[in-house]
Amino acid sequence: MQPTEIHVPPGPLEPIRLVRWIAGDRSVVHLDQPICELETDKASVELPSPASGTLRQIAMADEEVQVGMVLGVIAAAP
């Protein structure tokens, strides 16, 4: 099974920041579990996991990100 990419969802065109990872790198996560927090000047949201499996973080906490950018991947649990 192919890994599932975690993308910054569509939203406002203002700067978006990955505030923090709620789930740790290489931790097992479940579908719809909050895995990270994104923030703009106007809102803060928790991004849910798009799949169950093992999280691999790509983007770093406190990094500015853009819509569509890959934040991490979820590898299928063995």
Side-chain angles (χ1 to χ4, degrees):
M1 179 181 238
Q2 292 281 44
T4 302
E5 293 182 336
I6 304 160
H7 295 270
V8 176
L13 298 175
E14 51 195 73
I16 303 168
R17 187 170 61 95
L18 172 59
V19 177
R20 67 184 176 106
W21 284 98
I22 298 168
D25 190 43
R26 300 179 192 227
S27 64
V28 174
V29 297
H30 302 282
L31 179 66
D32 293 330
Q33 171 186 338
I35 54 172
C36 67
E37 182 179 355
L38 299 175
E39 180 180 80
T40 67
D41 289 341
K42 298 178 182 176
S44 178
V45 296
E46 291 182 347
L47 190 65
S49 177
S52 295
T54 303
L55 172 65
R56 292 303 311 266
Q57 299 171 355
I58 294 175
M60 303 295 288
D62 206 32
E63 179 179 341
E64 191 169 302
V65 295
Q66 297 178 9
V67 171
M69 181 177 170
V70 177
L71 299 173
V73 295
I74 307 285

